[in-house]
Amino acid sequence: MYSLLLVDDEPLIRGGIRKIVDWGSLGVDRIYEAGDGEEALEIVRTHPINLVLTDIVMPFMDGIELTGILHRDYPEISVIIATGHEDFEYARQSIDLGVCSYILKPIGAKNLYSKMSEIMAGIRKEDENRQYINRMRSQLVKNLPIIRSRYLNEIVCQDQGDKQQLVRQCRSAGIDFSSDSYIVGLLNLELDAIADEDVPLYVFSCRNIAQECLGERHYVFESNLSKKLVILFRCDILGDDARNTAYQVMEIILKALDNTIHVKATGGLGVEVSGPDQLPVSFRSARRACEYRFSLGENVVYDIRDGSLNKLLFRYPAQEVKSLLRSIRFGTDADIREAVCVIRQYIKNEKQLSGINVKIVLSEIVTDILKELSELSEITPRTTEQCLRLYSEISQMSSLDAMLNEIRQTATIAAEDFRRTENTSSKALIRKVKECVKMHYMELTFSLSTAADQVGVSTGYLSALFKKETGMNFIKYLTDVRMEKAMELLRGTDLRAYEIADRIGFDNTHYFSVAFKKYTGMSPSDFRKRGRE
């Protein structure tokens, strides 16, 4: 309900306006009266007023002066000017002072009711919009940590995307990208002994501990990679010796995690980069540094700029390993043997490689095989045990040929897993994914990654398989399902666009309207009108 303040120096006029209109039917339950502008301001200061209906010509303070003060100090109050024909142009000028409308005298009951009905409808609409914006603002504040994490993941951990647009999005979420240079750190949390249902709580606790160590001017967020935290250091905040300071801070975080919640972690510190465009470069190098835990040990921080690590990065036979991985997925046992021989020759030619560097290279190859196996929905225990066993055995072996023979056997076993999987029906998996979409399309966070988790395969594998089996990518299929549901709701309900958007998994009404128009060729409102004609 709303409150109305009548301002006129004639008590009879105020009383008449109060009586000739059924204000209750318009949603007005409280009516106040004032004889001039000064008296009106006193009432406004002491009572919650929604609407002011004022005359222009009054003693002490006229309606125009009153309107200017209300517009300046109480912009939420709607003002209507009551004016005679001789003051009409004067009243029109008052629109510039924030007057929402004006009524011509003499005021008749029918005309006044009609005019006030229009004005009250507009006020109610503004209130609805304001309430919606407040709800969205409240939801934004509630979800801000999730939004920040998503934005930071996109700008730091992914190469694709419009980086400038991402920077603008980050700034809208309160993330400062004004520094000239950055360093990315990565924390691998050792949570394998923690029950699956407790892992999110531990990751959340680790993030909070890391943030306390960092302060508010650097950023830490959960990576899309499992059980990992990413740290974004701003070098201008760290000072002249930024790299050494970042390294020391990461060591402090590792100790804090161990001392506070008894979680072990391994850190990787990436290269220093200039500008948001280069952040994925720093992230990848931090990730590479962190992976040395497999061969050099855990619970320490590895700096990618360390001399021995640089040497290994330079020597790693990336192309040769890619050939081995292709042979595992698509080749024969003979192709695997040939690929291993090529890797052996490459290592032999690198005469300056130390024994520890050779073992690190071979441990990295095992890691790459495991990454390739992650594409499968199911890995046999034999394959997993072989890979994990090989990590420890490589460090004890003294013969290159013995180590490469183990690599060859592991690759052959992995290839058997791929061949077995290729013989299963992919159509059943796609049917399962489609059912998953129908059950979860209304969830804001539902995505390709979520669907992949639901059916037990990797995101990359599902993306490729879905395109192959259906002829469209997953995002288009999800959008089509959402748009069909939106069309159904527009035809069969009176829900507003923002309510429909919320029900089908959109957090932004504008994006929903754009997607709907792209799908149907018309806006949601036009679609509803055409459907009811």
Side-chain angles (χ1 to χ4, degrees):
M1 300 297 284
Y2 299 90
S3 61
L4 168 68
L5 173 58
L6 300 174
V7 188
D8 197 294
D9 59 341
E10 294 290 342
L12 289 175
I13 293 178
R14 297 197 305 267
I17 292 175
R18 177 194 282 267
K19 293 178 180 178
I20 63 175
V21 171
D22 180 6
W23 293 103
S25 66
L26 295 174
V28 176
D29 63 345
R30 286 156 295 157
I31 300 177
Y32 303 90
E33 296 184 23
D36 56 62
E38 291 183 354
E39 187 180 347
L41 285 178
E42 288 299 322
I43 294 174
V44 168
R45 293 187 184 107
T46 56
H47 297 80
I49 301 298
N50 304 114
L51 185 65
V52 172
L53 174 58
T54 180
D55 192 14
I56 291 180
V57 180
M58 296 179 294
F60 305 115
M61 181 186 293
D62 64 25
I64 298 301
E65 185 178 355
L66 170 64
T67 297
I69 295 173
L70 292 176
H71 179 60
R72 182 191 67 203
D73 298 339
Y74 304 93
E76 72 280 5
I77 296 178
S78 300
V79 180
I80 302 104
I81 288 286
T83 178
H85 286 283
E86 65 275 11
D87 298 319
F88 182 70
E89 289 302 321
Y90 194 27
R92 291 187 61 178
Q93 294 173 14
S94 67
I95 298 295
D96 295 335
L97 297 176
V99 172
C100 70
S101 188
Y102 51 85
I103 298 175
L104 290 175
K105 294 180 178 179
I107 301 174
K110 184 176 181 181
N111 289 338
L112 179 59
Y113 187 88
S114 175
K115 191 69 174 180
M116 293 305 301
S117 295
E118 294 177 10
I119 293 169
M120 295 304 299
I123 291 174
R124 281 191 288 270
K125 182 64 176 178
E126 289 179 4
D127 282 349
E128 290 176 3
N129 292 339
R130 190 180 301 111
Q131 291 169 10
Y132 173 71
I133 291 171
N134 288 337
R135 287 198 303 272
M136 294 302 100
R137 185 179 290 113
S138 175
Q139 187 175 353
L140 175 63
V141 171
K142 180 180 178 181
N143 295 328
L144 189 59
I146 299 173
I147 294 171
R148 282 186 169 187
S149 181
R150 186 179 71 187
Y151 287 166
L152 285 168
N153 258 298
E154 290 181 5
I155 198 167
V156 174
C157 306
Q158 300 177 22
D159 286 302
Q160 66 271 24
D162 184 343
K163 293 298 181 183
Q164 295 306 312
Q165 174 66 17
L166 288 172
V167 167
R168 289 191 291 271
Q169 290 176 338
C170 286
R171 285 174 177 161
S172 71
I175 302 169
D176 188 349
F177 273 107
S178 61
S179 296
D180 292 330
S181 56
Y182 306 86
I183 299 173
V184 175
L186 184 66
L187 293 175
N188 183 80
L189 307 175
E190 307 299 334
L191 299 175
D192 292 339
I194 304 299
D196 290 344
E197 61 269 21
D198 293 332
V199 167
L201 176 61
Y202 271 84
V203 173
F204 177 78
S205 300
C206 290
R207 189 192 69 80
N208 286 344
I209 292 170
Q211 190 69 71
E212 289 178 2
C213 295
L214 289 166
E216 295 300 322
R217 304 179 75 180
H218 306 284
Y219 304 104
V220 59
F221 57 96
E222 185 177 351
S223 169
N224 290 335
L225 305 172
S226 176
K227 303 172 186 176
K228 289 178 174 60
L229 295 176
V230 182
I231 298 172
L232 180 60
F233 290 103
R234 298 171 58 197
C235 293
D236 60 331
I237 304 300
L238 294 174
D240 294 337
D241 194 9
R243 184 162 209 86
N244 186 50
T245 303
Y247 187 90
Q248 292 175 1
V249 171
M250 290 195 69
E251 287 189 317
I252 291 171
I253 293 173
L254 262 58
K255 291 178 182 177
L257 294 177
D258 193 11
N259 294 336
T260 307
I261 56 176
H262 309 296
V263 170
K264 303 289 186 183
T266 302
L269 197 63
V271 297
E272 182 175 336
V273 295
S274 58
D277 289 351
Q278 297 300 311
L279 286 173
V281 175
S282 186
F283 170 73
R284 287 195 299 271
S285 60
R287 184 178 178 183
R288 179 70 72 179
C290 199
E291 287 178 352
Y292 291 117
R293 68 188 187 279
F294 293 120
S295 53
L296 300 181
E298 300 172 338
N299 309 320
V300 293
V301 178
Y302 294 106
D303 186 345
I304 201 67
R305 294 294 298 273
D306 179 77
S308 61
L309 300 188
N310 273 339
K311 186 175 182 181
L312 177 58
L313 282 175
F314 179 74
R315 303 296 185 184
Y316 187 72
Q319 294 303 318
E320 289 77 4
V321 173
K322 284 184 179 179
S323 296
L324 173 61
L325 298 178
R326 282 195 298 270
S327 298
I328 291 172
R329 295 199 65 161
F330 309 113
T332 64
D333 290 350
D335 294 327
I336 291 174
R337 283 194 298 271
E338 182 179 350
V340 172
C341 286
V342 172
I343 292 173
R344 180 183 184 278
Q345 190 60 46
Y346 182 94
I347 294 174
K348 286 287 188 181
N349 290 339
E350 298 293 336
K351 300 183 183 298
Q352 295 182 351
L353 278 176
S354 65
I356 185 62
N357 278 347
V358 170
K359 291 181 179 181
I360 292 174
V361 168
L362 297 181
S363 295
E364 281 289 299
I365 293 175
V366 178
T367 299
D368 285 337
I369 292 175
L370 276 172
K371 289 178 181 176
E372 200 74 12
L373 284 166
S374 70
E375 298 276 328
L376 299 178
S377 60
E378 183 179 1
I379 306 173
T380 61
R382 177 192 176 196
T383 305
T384 304
E385 292 169 4
Q386 172 72 7
C387 291
L388 297 178
R389 178 181 60 79
L390 194 50
Y391 277 127
S392 59
E393 289 187 355
I394 285 176
S395 63
Q396 305 299 322
M397 292 180 179
S398 57
S399 164
L400 174 62
D401 287 338
M403 288 187 278
L404 286 172
N405 186 55
E406 288 291 331
I407 293 287
R408 182 188 59 78
Q409 291 182 22
T410 301
T412 302
I413 293 171
E416 292 173 3
D417 276 3
F418 273 101
R419 292 167 194 153
R420 186 189 67 256
T421 302
E422 287 297 320
N423 291 330
T424 61
S425 173
S426 59
K427 288 183 171 55
L429 179 64
I430 297 302
R431 284 197 298 270
K432 189 174 180 181
V433 170
K434 288 183 175 181
E435 288 298 319
C436 182
V437 170
K438 292 178 181 178
M439 292 175 62
H440 299 284
Y441 71 88
M442 71 292 296
E443 297 173 9
L444 178 63
T445 57
F446 187 72
S447 63
L448 175 64
S449 176
T450 313
D453 289 343
Q454 291 278 345
V455 299
V457 298
S458 73
T459 302
Y461 178 77
L462 178 57
S463 177
L465 183 63
F466 197 94
K467 177 73 173 179
K468 177 183 176 183
E469 293 295 328
T470 67
M472 70 172 69
N473 62 45
F474 176 86
I475 296 300
K476 184 179 186 309
Y477 179 78
L478 173 59
T479 302
D480 288 357
V481 170
R482 285 171 167 169
M483 292 301 104
E484 290 295 323
K485 184 60 180 178
M487 292 165 63
E488 178 183 331
L489 292 172
L490 285 167
R491 292 190 192 102
T493 73
D494 292 321
L495 292 174
R496 297 177 181 274
Y498 70 84
E499 294 174 313
I500 293 175
D502 184 65
R503 291 196 180 193
I504 66 170
F506 281 81
D507 62 347
N508 185 295
T509 307
H510 173 69
Y511 293 157
F512 159 65
S513 297
V514 171
F516 188 90
K517 187 168 185 179
K518 182 177 180 181
Y519 185 76
T520 64
M522 63 186 77
S523 68
S525 58
D526 290 339
F527 180 88
R528 172 171 278 164
K529 290 177 182 176
R530 181 168 295 184
R532 294 180 176 180
E533 289 177 354

